[in-house]
Amino acid sequence: MTSAICKRIVGSLASQFCRRRCFATVSRQQADHVRIVEVGPRDGLQNEKQSISVGTKIELCERLAHSGLQTIEAGSFVHPKWVPQMDNSNAILKHILKKPPSAPHPITYQWLLPNQKGLDRFLATCDAFSQKNHEDLNRTPAVGIESGSSPRAYAQNPNETPSSTSGSNASSSYPSPLPSPSDSSQSAIPFPSEIAHEVSLFLAATESFSQRNTNCSIAESLKRFAPLISNAKARGIKSRAYISVALGCPFEGPNSPKPTVVADIATSLLEMGADEISVADTTGMGTAPRTKELLKALSAAGVRNEDLALHFHDTYGMALVNTLVSLEHGVRVFDAAVGGLGGCPFSPGATGNVATEDLVYLFESLGLNTGIDLVEMSRIGEWISGELGREHGMGSRVGKASLARSRWVKERGK
């Protein structure tokens, strides 16, 4: 029933937007590289009952930027009535736009939003920053940049071709001129070159969870997302889509939804133009056989590994097992939260995300590269655990052990 509804919705939307089938545009990763999407600042903190200051959240993003991560989910534009903890996400976005955290390489920041109002708030903040930045540049006399210098220096990726910074090319480090206000809604936002911003959408794979989480059906969610993805693309912003409760629903049980339902939703989102699909085991009910079955269904539907990210919670201790199954299948993008933070306010009993420290240790023990400094990530886990008043190591045994060994080695060296 759900599958048939999804197909009808997508068919009408495809004709409305005159789209042909397309797939994710996320760059193909090398087989020995795994990209970890850090969801701690958003998914990791959203379920915390105590009020967390905007300063703490900004500091968390800044610390994470130093760790070697490439992608950080920094906040959410969900109405504070539903997720009060995310009420200050707009202030975090403003801070990152004004003063991007220093990092060894460019970073992509992702922002979760549920509807057009959320997208409008996000775009309004970005437009206001771009307009002010443009006005400030116009008030500042042009100053030549010496060869080899730039407003911000970042470590060169050894796999990238070195770019010239001399002569007239040096001016390319400045933002491009903004369009007039009358046509700004149809032009790309000129973010600084060292950062990118993307939006994330979310819908559920079961009708029960969809109604409780977004107050609408799966078909209505898909219909709502088509213009959001289109509008974001018109502004040069990529879209990520989460499919929640893909391996078990708190209201319908561990065997719901069927893998084919998840696959149909994923293909629908890709046909709309989503750039990446994060398939989420929101409840942590997923098992190795169920994960394998789901991945097979996604492949049979034409969803490539390059289109996918996997998002596991560790409620039943199966997150690393399911990660290995996905890794063997060929998936190379995984979501995680520093210190194992997290939980879903709409999924009773769901505990934290798989810990970033645990994933880094697992992948690197298999000879895979994450680019993340494990000890630094463990320090961040210890710090944020202290800020939240919880014992370090509750969410990541790897984090606790890594720090203990690091300090032991340091003491022996004295």
Side-chain angles (χ1 to χ4, degrees), residues 54-100:
V54 66
T56 298
K57 293 177 182 178
I58 289 172
E59 185 173 352
L60 176 59
C61 290
E62 291 176 336
R63 286 173 180 253
L64 290 168
H66 287 284
S67 69
L69 287 161
Q70 295 176 310
T71 312
I72 299 172
E73 188 179 53
S76 168
F77 284 81
V78 176
H79 196 287
K81 174 183 176 181
W82 304 112
V83 187
Q85 194 64 257
M86 294 290 104
D87 189 28
N88 47 21
S89 290
N90 198 44
I92 300 170
L93 172 59
K94 288 179 180 179
H95 178 86
I96 292 175
L97 287 168
K98 184 178 180 181
K99 190 179 179 181

Side-chain angles (χ1 to χ4, degrees), residues 47 250-251 282-285 313-316 342-352:
N47 208 34
F251 309 111
T282 312
T283 62
M285 293 180 182
H313 284 235
D314 205 31
T315 311
Y316 293 90
C344 177
F346 304 102
S347 178
T351 56

Side-chain angles (χ1 to χ4, degrees), residues 32-228:
D32 64 348
H33 178 79
V34 178
R35 179 166 63 92
I36 294 178
V37 177
E38 175 58 53
V39 300
R42 196 279 301 176
D43 196 20
L45 297 181
Q46 69 173 5
N47 208 34
E48 291 293 325
K49 302 303 181 185
Q50 60 179 298
S51 178
I52 305 171
S53 70
V54 66
T56 298
K57 293 177 182 178
I58 289 172
E59 185 173 352
L60 176 59
C61 290
E62 291 176 336
R63 286 173 180 253
L64 290 168
H66 287 284
S67 69
L69 287 161
Q70 295 176 310
T71 312
I72 299 172
E73 188 179 53
S76 168
F77 284 81
V78 176
H79 196 287
K81 174 183 176 181
W82 304 112
V83 187
Q85 194 64 257
M86 294 290 104
D87 189 28
N88 47 21
S89 290
N90 198 44
I92 300 170
L93 172 59
K94 288 179 180 179
H95 178 86
I96 292 175
L97 287 168
K98 184 178 180 181
K99 190 179 179 181
S102 60
H105 48 65
I107 290 182
T108 296
Y109 293 93
Q110 295 178 341
W111 307 88
L112 191 75
L113 47 89
N115 50 35
Q116 186 63 48
K117 287 184 179 179
L119 179 61
D120 289 343
R121 288 180 60 208
F122 169 79
L123 292 176
T125 299
C126 294
D127 284 333
F129 163 79
S130 298
Q131 187 65 43
K132 185 178 185 305
N133 195 34
H134 180 59
E135 292 170 355
D136 290 345
L137 286 174
N138 283 341
R139 285 195 294 266
T140 304
V143 179
I145 302 178
E146 294 180 2
S147 176
S149 66
S150 63
R152 282 191 182 88
Y154 284 81
Q156 184 79 31
N157 185 329
N159 296 319
E160 293 177 350
T161 302
S163 58
S164 172
T165 56
S166 61
S168 60
N169 290 336
S171 62
S172 64
S173 59
Y174 286 107
S176 303
L178 282 179
S180 63
S182 62
D183 61 4
S184 63
S185 63
Q186 297 300 321
S187 59
I189 298 173
F191 294 121
S193 59
E194 67 270 19
I195 61 172
H197 291 273
E198 298 176 356
V199 295
S200 299
L201 315 172
F202 60 94
L203 77 167
T206 67
E207 293 293 350
S208 299
F209 196 85
S210 182
Q211 290 291 346
R212 287 168 172 79
N213 194 20
T214 59
N215 199 32
C216 67
S217 68
I218 296 173
E220 289 169 334
S221 290
L222 287 169
K223 187 174 182 180
R224 176 189 299 169
F225 284 169
L228 295 185

Side-chain angles (χ1 to χ4, degrees), residues 10 22 201 203 221-222 225 229 241-243 264-275 277:
V10 171
C22 56
L201 315 172
L203 77 167
S221 290
L222 287 169
F225 284 169
I229 293 172
Y242 286 99
I243 302 178
D264 285 342
I265 295 172
T267 54
S268 299
L269 291 164
L270 290 169
E271 287 169 344
M272 293 177 189
D275 294 288
I277 307 296

